[in-house]
Amino acid sequence: MSSQRLERELTRAVEMGRWLSDDELEQIELEQRVNRLQQQQDDQRRLKLGLFTAVCVVIPPLWPVALGLSLHLLFPQSFRRLLWFAGGSLLLLTLLGAAVSVAVVSLLWMLIS
């Protein structure tokens, strides 16, 4: 083993109050790798969205898209909830519109007949 790894294990042992088994060490290292990978993916995604937002700002017809992307970058959780609410509202309005349309067509059909 390298001296750096031994020092890390000693530091962990002091922090935890005991030596960690090999399985526990592997589990911790795996979690750290997964966290680093997730962080890298998030950073790449944010960079791509930021560049796309910049392109949308330059092209005036795409300003609503740029606004949406900016809100998504700044407030991802709130924006996701807002999209769910907007989608549900749109679905509800569509169903109500279809029901009213069917009712109007039925009334007109009864009046014509």
Side-chain angles (χ1 to χ4, degrees):
M1 274 191 208
S2 68
S3 62
Q4 290 177 346
R5 184 171 176 174
L6 285 173
E7 287 177 21
R8 281 193 316 243
E9 287 184 19
L10 178 61
T11 305
R12 271 197 203 123
V14 169
E15 289 173 357
M16 301 286 290
R18 64 181 180 88
W19 283 100
L20 299 175
S21 69
D22 291 339
D23 293 336
E24 290 173 325
L25 288 173
E26 288 176 12
Q27 179 73 20
I28 290 171
E29 289 175 3
L30 177 65
E31 289 173 3
Q32 289 174 347
R33 273 187 265 135
V34 168
N35 287 340
R36 280 193 307 267
L37 181 63
Q38 182 68 32
Q39 184 66 34
Q40 288 174 350
Q41 289 174 346
D42 287 346
D43 291 342
Q44 288 176 350
R45 190 174 130 266
R46 281 187 172 274
L47 178 65
K48 288 177 184 177
L49 283 173
L51 292 174
F52 188 63
T53 302
V55 168
C56 289
V57 166
V58 172
I59 303 170
L62 296 178
W63 283 352
V65 175
L67 176 66
L69 286 173
S70 297
L71 287 174
H72 175 65
L73 287 171
L74 293 172
F75 312 107
Q77 292 294 93
S78 300
F79 190 70
R80 187 173 298 131
R81 287 188 204 119
L82 179 67
L83 283 181
W84 274 106
F85 179 72
S89 299
L90 183 65
L91 180 65
L92 182 64
L93 287 174
T94 302
L95 291 174
L96 286 174
V100 168
S101 298
V102 167
V104 167
V105 168
S106 297
L107 286 174
L108 289 174
W109 183 264
M110 291 187 328
L111 287 174
I112 292 173
S113 300

